Amino acid sequence: MAATGHDVHAAADYRRLRRRGIRVAREGIRWHRVEPSTGRFDFSDELARVRAAHEAGITVIWDLCHFGWPDDVDVFSAAFVDRLARLAGAFARLVASEVEGVPFYTPVNEISFVAWAGGRAGYLNPF
């Protein structure tokens, strides 16, 4: 996100979409950054993007687990489900407090990739 500048230019990015007739975008939150310690969430960067999309009239489909997860989370453990559920609930409450209407979420981006990368390819933990 930093490489594209979207973290800084989200409002302008969303306005560009709107001018081109695009009304829906998919956006990912950075779980590894929004939960700096277990159970403590800082959605300040995401809040800026939630507001920017809303102001531009863009409906967002939010990927909750798009850019990875915190280092202390084992994606293949049962605890992953509980942690993701807590993240999802906290983020959904934030979105509901800012945007009217029906929200859209993708719990895990490309779940088949995660299964392949962590299983067959040994690219992700547990290798």
Side-chain angles (χ1 to χ4, degrees), residues 59-84:
T59 297
V60 175
I61 302 168
W62 291 99
D63 283 343
L64 302 178
C65 183
H66 184 99
F67 299 106
W69 44 85
D71 288 339
D72 67 320
V73 175
D74 177 356
V75 69
F76 298 105
S77 75
F80 174 81
V81 176
D82 294 331
R83 287 282 293 274
L84 180 60

Side-chain angles (χ1 to χ4, degrees), residues 3 6 10 12-13 42-44 60-61 75 83 88-89 108 115 122:
H6 182 60
D13 292 344
D42 176 2
F43 291 115
S44 53
V60 175
I61 302 168
V75 69
R83 287 282 293 274
V108 178

Side-chain angles (χ1 to χ4, degrees), residues 14 22-26 53-54 57-62 102-104:
Y14 287 131
I22 297 171
R23 304 286 190 269
V24 178
R26 194 167 131 196
H54 180 66
I58 301 294
T59 297
V60 175
I61 302 168
W62 291 99
V102 177
F104 297 93

